[in-house]
């Protein structure tokens, strides 16, 4: 278990009533530097869903090695752009928010800065339905499913996209390029089965997790590379995003990836106590009022 400076936090918050939250900026900055060390020169795009504080996003972006945001939603991306936080914002999930799409279409500066995610022609249809088929050019990125399917019917990882094979990625890329009002500028491929699953421990389950992650990373390095090459034959991509805090090393080994997504590693939540590849400092903590102790172990 990683220890924290409880006495210092107690002293700093002694005049405040809980619930309250504390961010240790020294720990945050140390984590930011450690993530860039692990990325070995690849830029890190900050996942805003894991850092829900504008000031912390700005602090990380001011650190060498960070470039752009991977946003939780289109309204959030538009707000962060209006606030001047970044002019390079990728929305990590497809959107059907008609009001936000209309706001995007009406703002030339936002359209130059914001990229929305798609994994199907249906998403292009939804954008057309929201803002009309004669809309100005919208920047889009294609999401590739990079879960691991070692055998028929066996799926390990998140189901983020129906686009799994390189050929399917190229077909969708062609459909995007052919559509008026869209420009394909990027790809995203988040390997949750590696980035989001702790691999620490000595038991059978931990050994199985490490084995799965090694095999998945090896399969992914080939398939993602083939998919990126296939899409690049159709469109001139500005970026290929991959990773997550837990998979920076293996993602960085993939030459098809141009940037790495990470966010929660800046704050160091308890999930990361059980990873073997890195040990972040706990940088964000919260306190709740305790009003009853029915037993020694229950509050």
């Amino acid at each position: 278990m990683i220890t924290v400076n409880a006495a210092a936090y107690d002293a700093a918050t002694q005049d405040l009533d809980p619930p309250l939250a504390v961010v240790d900026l020294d720990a945050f900055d140390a984590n930011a530097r450690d993530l860039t060390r692990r990325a070995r020169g690849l830029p890190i795009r900050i996942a805003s869903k894991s850092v829900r504080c504008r000031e912390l996003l700005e602090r990380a972006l001011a650190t060498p090695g960070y470039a752009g945001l991977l946003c939780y939603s289109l309204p959030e991306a538009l707000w962060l752009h209006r606030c001047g936080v970044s002019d390079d914002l990728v929305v990590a999930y497809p959107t059907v928010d008609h009001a936000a799409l209309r706001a995007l279409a009406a703002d030339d500066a936002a359209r130059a800065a914001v990229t929305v995610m798609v994994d199907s022609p249906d998403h292009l249809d939804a954008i057309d339905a929201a803002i009309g088929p004669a809309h100005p050019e919208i920047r889009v990125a294609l999401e590739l499913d990079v879960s691991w399917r070692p055998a028929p019917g066996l799926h390990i990882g998140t189901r983020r996209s129906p686009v799994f094979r390189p050929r399917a990625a190229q077909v969708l890329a062609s459909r995007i390029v052919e559509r008026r009002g869209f420009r394909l500028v990027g790809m995203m491929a988040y390997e949750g089965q590696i980035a989001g699953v702790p691999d620490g421990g000595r038991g059978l389950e931990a050994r199985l997790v490490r084995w799965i992650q090694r095999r998945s990373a090896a399969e992914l390095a080939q398939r993602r590379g083939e998919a990126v090459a296939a899409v690049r034959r159709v469109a001139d991509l500005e970026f290929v995003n991959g990773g997550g805090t837990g998979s920076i090393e293996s993602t960085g080994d993939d030459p098809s990836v141009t940037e790495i997504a990470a966010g929660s590693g800046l704050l160091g939540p308890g999930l990361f106590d059980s990873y073997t590849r890195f040990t972040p400092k706990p940088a964000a903590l919260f306190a709740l009022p305790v009003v009853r102790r029915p037993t020694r172990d229950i509050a």
Side-chain angles (χ1 to χ4, degrees):
M1 177 63 67
I2 299 174
T3 59
V4 298
N5 192 352
Y9 302 149
D10 287 344
T13 61
Q14 62 182 346
D15 296 326
L16 302 175
D17 284 328
L20 58 86
V22 173
V23 176
D24 186 325
L25 294 179
D26 290 338
F28 183 89
D29 293 344
N31 290 338
R33 292 190 297 269
D34 190 54
L35 289 174
T36 59
R37 175 192 62 79
R38 294 173 58 209
R40 294 170 296 181
L42 280 180
I44 295 176
R45 184 181 293 276
I46 305 169
S48 70
K49 73 176 180 62
S50 300
V51 185
R52 309 301 294 158
C53 175
R54 172 182 157 187
E55 287 77 8
L56 293 180
L57 292 174
E58 292 173 331
R59 189 179 185 93
L61 285 172
T63 304
Y66 290 82
L69 297 175
L70 187 64
C71 298
Y72 177 73
S73 69
L74 179 55
E76 177 188 83
L78 293 172
W79 178 73
L80 289 169
H81 178 257
R82 287 196 303 271
C83 294
V85 177
S86 176
D87 60 0
D88 181 4
L89 307 104
V90 177
V91 181
Y93 309 93
T95 182
V96 291
D97 187 321
H98 284 203
L101 285 167
R102 288 193 293 268
L104 176 66
D107 188 330
D108 291 345
R111 283 191 294 103
V114 176
T115 302
V116 299
M117 196 65 58
V118 302
D119 62 39
S120 165
D122 292 342
H123 291 134
L124 306 180
D125 294 340
I127 294 172
D128 283 348
I131 58 180
H135 58 76
E137 187 175 78
I138 303 295
R139 293 167 53 88
V140 300
L142 183 160
E143 179 152 15
L144 179 73
D145 188 303
V146 290
S147 55
W148 188 40
R149 301 179 185 177
L154 183 58
H155 183 108
I156 299 175
T158 53
R159 295 184 182 273
R160 288 184 60 101
S161 168
V163 182
F164 187 81
R165 300 293 179 190
R167 176 58 182 164
Q170 186 177 44
V171 169
L172 177 56
S174 297
R175 296 282 296 275
I176 297 170
V177 170
E178 293 166 358
R179 291 280 289 260
R180 182 195 178 283
F182 297 96
R183 180 156 65 100
L184 179 59
V185 299
M187 287 183 66
M188 179 178 171
Y190 169 67
E191 51 266 45
Q193 71 277 13
I194 304 173
V197 181
D199 66 335
R202 299 186 179 184
L204 177 61
E205 181 178 352
R207 292 197 297 271
L208 177 61
V209 167
R210 290 192 288 271
W211 180 83
I212 288 173
Q213 291 180 342
R214 287 194 300 270
R215 296 292 297 272
S216 177
E219 184 273 341
L220 176 56
Q222 178 175 346
R223 178 164 55 88
R224 179 164 50 195
E226 292 173 354
V228 171
V231 172
R232 285 193 182 278
R233 288 193 286 270
V234 176
D236 184 16
L237 298 179
E238 297 175 9
F239 66 88
V240 177
N241 181 279
T245 293
S247 68
I248 288 179
E249 290 81 3
S250 60
T251 302
D253 287 338
D254 185 341
S256 71
V257 173
T258 66
E259 62 178 38
I260 297 175
S264 51
L266 291 165
L267 299 176
L271 170 71
F272 295 135
D273 290 355
S274 300
Y275 278 76
T276 62
R277 297 180 289 276
F278 63 102
T279 305
K281 298 179 181 295
L285 307 95
F286 67 92
L288 301 174
V290 173
V291 298
R292 180 175 289 162
R293 296 288 301 266
T295 74
R296 182 176 181 180
D297 299 327
I298 297 175

